[in-house]
Amino acid sequence: MKFSEAWLREFVNPDLSTGDLAEQLTMAGLEVNSLEPVAAVLRNLVVGEILRVMPHPDADRLVVCQVTDGKEELQVVCGAPNARAGIKVPLALVGASLSNLKVKKTRLRGVESCGMLCSEKELGISDDHEGLMELPLDAPVGADLVDHLALSDAMIDLDLTPNRGDCLSLIGLARETGLINSLDVKQAEITAVPATIKDTFPVKLVAGSACPRFVGRVLRGLDSDAKSPLWLKEKLRRSDIRSINPVVDVTNFVMLELGQPLHAYDLTRLEDKIIVRHAKAGEKLKLLDGQEAALDDGTLLITDASGAIGIAGVMGGLSTGVTAETKDIFLESAFFAPRAIVGKARFYNLNSDAAHRFERGVDWQGQGRAVERATQILIQIAGGEPGPTVETCDKSALPGIASLRLRLARINQLLGVEIEADSVAEILNRLGFDAVRSSNEKDSDEQLSWQVEVPSHRFDISIETDLIEEISRVFGYNNLPARTPVAPLQMSPIPEATSLSAASSKQALNQVRDQLVSRGYFEAMTYSFVDASLQGLLDPDPEPVSLANPLSTEMSVMRTTIWTGLLKSLRYNINRQQSRIRLFETGLCFYRKPNQAELKHADITQVQKLAALACGSRQAEGWCNDTNAIDFYDMKGDLESILALSGDEFEFVVARHPALHPGQSAEIRKAGATVGCVGLLDPGLQQQFDIRYPTFLFEINLDSVLGRRLPQSAPISRFPEVRRDCAVIVARTVTAAQLRAVIQTVTDETLINLKLFDVYQGKGIDPTSKSVALGLTFQHSSRTLRDEEVSSSVARILACLKQELDADIRN
């Protein structure tokens, strides 16, 4: 928000320089972005009056003006098209300074010129250089121009946080400045303007919850030839708002002064009555800026019998807008619930001062006051006859006055400093909060409390901690002691089983990250908001959680898989000449209950997941390194190194996944439950994502990895191992996991190692079969095994393989 320092000082005038005032506002939480002078550095400029204008004898585009500075008559040569007798203009006398320009007596095309008549651009006020700056006719001739126009003023630009909508007005900033400096704030003199006509215009609130209060007033007979006075134009200009006409200028002035946006309709263009409702499918509206908006169903509208005439709280429609010929108007001053307005300006690609304020919340009790203020100023400028002020209200939907309990002991506990009860009461009073002290005067400090009523302009105060924050701000952050906290700290044991504590879970997660980094992966952080169409390709089954006000269509839903963001990051890196890429990410995915008409927070489930992808060569480029591309088993090996950290047993089961190649994909199961998947990105999706290289991915629920089983130790046997190798022929569809499962059903604890060390398919083997070589290692913990025992165990294994999997011994 940009405003004039001089305008602020009309309400409260602390004995501070401009720089000190800016520093004070920043320390109070109202950050000052910039300070700019309202004009260039000017010296020796006065208000001049043109007495006569004569043509230049040697130049068609120049005129010779006889100008008075109140003391003497001067001759000034000028080229401005609006130079004429009787107007008052800025006059730079000989010796005057205008920024980097020094005015001297000179001759222009043979005619002497003793001074310079100035445009707004030459004064550094604006970029307007089409003609001389015309001053009001009552401007005193000879008066110092800087003093007359208050050009020693500064424009202050604030960067306010969203919770401080109450400071988007001069009166709000004055409250803060007076609060910090313990000064009284001079309120604007607003008196009720009595109605001189009985004309009203009916209003109906269909969407009362979104617009619980609508104040309107008819004004007839405004002077369409009236011009906004210089003081009004200057206050708007110094707030970075362009002057248009008296009606629009007054509504903007009241918005800046009181923080309540207003809108004026051309009364002759309104039909029947105003209805505040939500948009219907297919409705369109041509806005004041000329854009035609296709209205969304959830948009709050101002309508009449002709249809939509404005997007509530954002921008009015062109069909009922005020023009230079408008004489009869209907003033609107409404309270719109912030939730009904938030995001609408951005949705329609509009930039609106009104929406900026309504989104943050305006004083829900200030609508009538704003209409009276606007009526008061409009009648002064353009005359007219006002009708009665009419309020249409849905009281059940108004916010209400919040009442909070504030405890002195809690203040001292949170701030770490003892603040006297009287000081707290004074601060609350200066903040404008009505505070009633607990009735028992004998209460100790630990029992003392206040019941505080929050004023209607403070939307950001909802809990006791908010009040304490306000007290600390007024008390002064610099006055709060900086102390090192003292507390008895005792080392707590961290259980090795990570499921037992949050601290150990975090430790286990760090181990997972370290493991992946050690295997050449880089950690990525992508948005939880993703493109619904891309996510639908990767994970089509779950219904995503849609955002009510997405930043863009590419960020319209919450992710159900981390792959969506990782694949976009992969494409970004490939497009920048990276060919060997390893990325991983840990984060939340979001799921909703299906078939829910109205989504609530309790209907959303958050699941923490780990996902990774890899493409390119198996090893980094180097003279001694392998240049072969990675395959399924490289990715599976990286994943198995993560799974091994938990100490639990997982199995990989062939399965189809909509995002993975049907021949190179598998489910990851733990105790029979599917906890993840791994495989090659489907070639069709690889093409749709515009990824040049085959890409392998995995995704797994983190909880299944972080729960760690404690290892059990056993003494190493002193007796020798016995290894027997055998090869069996099985069907090509038989997996290693099936072989292992069958063998484990018939062996005892003497089989200490089972290894598959060769698979052969080719000459001498049926095309529908394969040869699998197994290494069986036996050892007893307390004695040496006999050959007969080992042979008996091998025979049982082979017999079971034959029975269960139709396996034959390969000779």
Side-chain angles (χ1 to χ4, degrees), residues 308-435:
I309 58 173
I311 300 176
V314 178
M315 187 175 289
L318 189 61
S319 63
T320 56
V322 173
T323 66
E325 291 76 33
T326 299
K327 294 183 178 181
D328 302 332
I329 65 169
F330 178 68
L331 271 180
E332 167 206 301
S333 177
F335 171 71
F336 300 111
R339 287 189 177 184
I341 307 301
V342 66
K344 297 305 179 186
R346 184 171 62 248
F347 180 83
Y348 292 106
N349 197 26
L350 300 172
N351 187 10
S352 162
D353 288 326
H356 186 70
R357 286 163 173 79
F358 281 126
E359 285 180 338
R360 287 154 177 77
V362 301
D363 185 349
W364 56 271
Q365 293 183 334
Q367 288 69 50
R369 190 163 178 259
V371 165
E372 295 294 348
R373 179 63 164 161
T375 305
Q376 183 183 26
I377 301 173
L378 262 177
I379 290 176
Q380 290 175 0
I381 296 172
E385 296 181 291
T389 300
V390 179
E391 178 180 300
T392 308
C393 186
D394 183 351
K395 293 184 179 179
S396 64
L398 288 171
I401 299 292
S403 182
L404 305 174
R405 182 168 178 251
L406 178 64
R407 296 163 293 171
L408 181 61
R410 185 63 174 159
I411 296 172
N412 296 336
Q413 179 188 17
L414 286 184
L415 301 186
V417 62
E418 298 290 331
I419 302 180
E420 296 292 333
D422 291 342
S423 299
V424 173
E426 181 188 355
I427 291 172
L428 292 173
N429 182 56
R430 284 161 54 195
L431 282 165
F433 296 174
D434 290 333

Side-chain angles (χ1 to χ4, degrees), residues 259-558:
Q260 171 64 47
L262 301 176
H263 186 68
Y265 301 92
D266 188 326
L267 184 62
T268 61
R269 298 183 180 186
L270 292 176
E271 298 181 20
D272 190 28
K273 62 183 173 183
I274 281 181
I275 301 174
V276 183
R277 60 169 173 83
H278 287 100
K280 300 173 183 176
E283 282 191 285
K284 293 184 178 180
L285 172 64
K286 194 164 188 179
L287 298 165
L288 285 171
D289 63 358
Q291 293 187 54
E292 185 172 71
L295 300 172
D296 181 70
D297 291 353
T299 302
L300 187 66
L301 298 181
I302 309 297
T303 68
D304 67 1
S306 66
I309 58 173
I311 300 176
V314 178
M315 187 175 289
L318 189 61
S319 63
T320 56
V322 173
T323 66
E325 291 76 33
T326 299
K327 294 183 178 181
D328 302 332
I329 65 169
F330 178 68
L331 271 180
E332 167 206 301
S333 177
F335 171 71
F336 300 111
R339 287 189 177 184
I341 307 301
V342 66
K344 297 305 179 186
R346 184 171 62 248
F347 180 83
Y348 292 106
N349 197 26
L350 300 172
N351 187 10
S352 162
D353 288 326
H356 186 70
R357 286 163 173 79
F358 281 126
E359 285 180 338
R360 287 154 177 77
V362 301
D363 185 349
W364 56 271
Q365 293 183 334
Q367 288 69 50
R369 190 163 178 259
V371 165
E372 295 294 348
R373 179 63 164 161
T375 305
Q376 183 183 26
I377 301 173
L378 262 177
I379 290 176
Q380 290 175 0
I381 296 172
E385 296 181 291
T389 300
V390 179
E391 178 180 300
T392 308
C393 186
D394 183 351
K395 293 184 179 179
S396 64
L398 288 171
I401 299 292
S403 182
L404 305 174
R405 182 168 178 251
L406 178 64
R407 296 163 293 171
L408 181 61
R410 185 63 174 159
I411 296 172
N412 296 336
Q413 179 188 17
L414 286 184
L415 301 186
V417 62
E418 298 290 331
I419 302 180
E420 296 292 333
D422 291 342
S423 299
V424 173
E426 181 188 355
I427 291 172
L428 292 173
N429 182 56
R430 284 161 54 195
L431 282 165
F433 296 174
D434 290 333
V436 178
R437 186 168 172 165
S438 55
S439 58
N440 191 349
E441 296 293 335
K442 297 181 180 179
D443 283 347
S444 65
D445 284 351
E446 291 187 358
Q447 298 172 316
L448 181 60
S449 65
W450 294 265
Q451 199 65 31
V452 181
E453 288 192 352
V454 180
S456 57
H457 61 267
R458 291 303 298 268
F459 272 73
D460 57 317
I461 307 295
S462 57
I463 57 177
E464 182 185 28
T465 308
D466 294 332
L467 290 172
I468 296 174
E469 183 182 0
E470 288 296 294
I471 289 170
S472 67
R473 194 168 60 83
V474 178
F475 183 75
Y477 295 129
N478 294 336
N479 296 325
L480 297 178
R483 295 195 185 113
T484 303
V486 178
L489 300 178
Q490 184 175 358
M491 297 295 289
S492 301
I494 299 178
E496 291 186 73
T498 59
S499 60
L500 298 181
S501 75
S504 50
S505 292
K506 183 177 180 180
Q507 183 182 30
L509 179 57
N510 288 336
Q511 289 178 346
V512 170
R513 290 184 172 124
D514 292 343
Q515 178 69 12
L516 284 168
V517 169
S518 70
R519 297 181 77 89
Y521 286 78
F522 291 89
E523 185 170 12
M525 295 182 68
T526 62
Y527 287 110
S528 297
F529 309 145
V530 297
D531 189 323
S533 59
L534 294 182
Q535 179 165 270
L537 297 173
L538 297 169
D539 195 16
D541 294 334
E543 182 182 0
V545 178
S546 299
L547 300 181
N549 298 296
L551 296 174
S552 69
T553 55
E554 294 182 352
M555 305 176 76
S556 59
V557 298
M558 305 292 284

